[in-house]
C-alpha cells in the first residue's frame, strides 16, 4: 500500500500528539524491538518509534530495516522519531481517499 500525499498529511496530523511507543535502546535494532514494533502496529496502526542513533546514515539504515521487516509505511521521520502506519483488518483509522 502506497500512501498518497493527502493520506500522509492526514496521518501526520493524527500522529502529532502521539508519544513514542517503542524506544530503541543502545543494543540497536534487535528481534525483540522488531517484535515490539509489530505488536504496537497491530494494536494501534499508527505509532511513533524513537530511534537511538547519533549517526544520520545509521539511523536511515535502521529506519529502512524497520519498514522492510514490519511491512509498514513510513509517514515521516523527524529527528530521531519515526512515524509508522500499517493498516489492520479492522481498520481503526479511516484514511481519506487518494
Amino acid at each position: 500500500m502506497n500512501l498518497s500525499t493527502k493520506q500522509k498529511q492526514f496521518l501526520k496530523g493524527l500522529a502529532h500528539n502521539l508519544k513514542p511507543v517503542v524506544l530503541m535502546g543502545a543494543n540497536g535494532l534487535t528481534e525483540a524491538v522488531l517484535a515490539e514494533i509489530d505488536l504496537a502496529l497491530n494494536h494501534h496502526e499508527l505509532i511513533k518509534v524513537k530511534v537511538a542513533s547519533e549517526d544520520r546514515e545509521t539511523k536511515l539504515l535502521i529506519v529502512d530495516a524497520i519498514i522492510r521487516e514490519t511491512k509498514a509505511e513510513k509517514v515521516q521521520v523527524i529527528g530521531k522519531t519515526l512515524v509508522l502506519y500499517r493498516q489492520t483488518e479492522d481498520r481503526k483509522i479511516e484514511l481519506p481517499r487518494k
Side-chain angles (χ1 to χ4, degrees):
M1 167 186 214
N2 284 331
L3 296 172
S4 69
T5 304
K6 184 178 179 182
Q7 291 170 328
K8 283 186 179 182
Q9 290 297 88
F10 175 76
L11 291 171
K12 286 177 187 179
L14 292 179
H16 183 73
N17 293 325
L18 296 179
K19 300 278 185 245
V21 293
V22 179
L23 306 172
M24 275 183 44
N27 294 335
L29 188 61
T30 62
E31 288 296 321
V33 172
L34 281 171
E36 194 64 34
I37 292 170
D38 196 52
L39 189 68
L41 282 166
N42 286 338
H43 191 262
H44 299 288
E45 284 189 336
L46 182 68
I47 65 167
K48 284 185 178 178
V49 178
K50 195 76 152 190
V51 179
S53 176
E54 296 299 321
D55 182 42
R56 186 178 191 147
E57 291 202 16
T58 304
K59 181 179 70 174
L60 292 175
L61 289 172
I62 291 170
V63 167
D64 289 341
I66 290 171
I67 292 165
R68 183 178 62 248
E69 295 296 320
T70 62
K71 295 175 178 53
E73 294 287 329
K74 176 179 80 173
V75 177
Q76 70 178 349
V77 178
I78 298 178
K80 295 181 182 183
T81 305
L82 166 65
V83 180
L84 290 173
Y85 172 76
R86 186 176 69 197
Q87 193 171 51
T88 59
E89 286 188 22
D90 56 343
R91 295 184 179 195
K92 296 174 179 80
I93 299 172
E94 193 64 39
L95 290 177
R97 304 221 168 176
K98 291 186 178 190

